[in-house]
Amino acid sequence: MAIQTHWNIDHPCGHSTVRDLSDRFADRRAGFARWLADKDCTDCWKASRDADTESREQWLAARRAEEQQAANDWAEKFGMPPLEGPERALDWGRRCRHQLMSAAHTTLVIEGSWDEADWEALEEKARTITRAGWWIDQRDAGGSDVVELVDAATEEDRGATENPYH
């Protein structure tokens, strides 16, 4: 008698399938069939995965909108100038600028020894950097790196825009 190659699988999603397991070693077919019986069928698994992707994309879009609003509110409150660059980079650049400057404030002022005068001097230098790409390029930097990074920015990074808030 030959070892069974086709198995009837009753999935927890309520569907039943017949699986050809002849491509597996004979001594592993029964165990694999039991494993399959604990999983949703392929169609239900794909539908669940696609729903998870949509859910994740919706969550990410909502998160990005929150971050963008926080960055815009911060820029307005602290007189940060508009950024320059390709349209697709502007929002990302504003988010990066906000995150980097917030990290710097935490590191240098809240946790560090800087006073408000030191911070205002750094903030004023940061206002001159209006190229969105510069802020995007620095997105992985730490808050303590901001002083050196701002000093290293070139004239190209600083742009020609005068700060309309001052």
Side-chain angles (χ1 to χ4, degrees):
M1 179 166 163
I3 304 281
Q4 183 176 347
T5 57
H6 288 76
W7 294 76
N8 293 321
I9 310 292
D10 294 322
H11 299 279
C13 62
H15 296 113
S16 295
T17 59
V18 175
R19 288 289 303 262
D20 178 2
L21 302 180
S22 61
D23 61 337
R24 302 203 172 265
F25 290 113
D27 63 339
R28 295 189 180 166
R29 292 177 192 159
F32 187 66
R34 277 191 302 278
W35 181 82
L36 287 172
D38 287 337
K39 310 294 178 215
D40 286 344
C41 71
T42 302
D43 290 339
C44 290
W45 174 79
K46 285 180 181 178
S48 174
R49 182 192 62 194
D50 292 344
D52 287 347
T53 299
E54 289 175 21
S55 171
R56 187 172 35 253
E57 288 172 359
Q58 290 171 350
W59 175 85
L60 186 57
R63 177 85 172 135
R64 285 285 179 257
E66 289 173 16
E67 289 173 351
Q68 196 62 54
Q69 187 61 51
N72 293 342
D73 293 347
W74 172 84
E76 185 176 331
K77 180 177 180 179
F78 293 102
M80 292 293 162
L83 296 180
E84 301 166 344
E87 188 65 34
R88 68 182 188 278
L90 296 178
D91 284 346
W92 189 14
R94 285 189 289 268
R95 285 193 313 270
C96 291
R97 176 175 64 182
H98 174 241
Q99 291 166 351
L100 187 58
M101 292 300 290
S102 294
H105 188 267
T106 298
T107 300
L108 301 171
V109 178
I110 296 173
E111 296 171 353
S113 60
W114 279 36
D115 61 20
E116 282 303 312
D118 293 330
W119 177 252
E120 287 174 13
L122 176 63
E123 205 172 40
E124 197 57 42
K125 286 181 183 178
R127 280 187 186 92
T128 67
I129 302 171
T130 58
R131 189 173 70 82
W134 187 89
W135 292 101
I136 294 168
D137 290 344
Q138 312 317 317
R139 69 185 177 273
D140 294 324
S144 60
D145 298 330
V146 173
V147 176
E148 186 177 348
L149 292 171
V150 167
D151 286 340
T154 66
E155 287 304 312
E156 179 183 295
D157 299 322
R158 297 185 191 287
T161 304
E162 288 190 29
N163 187 350
Y165 300 104
H166 283 64

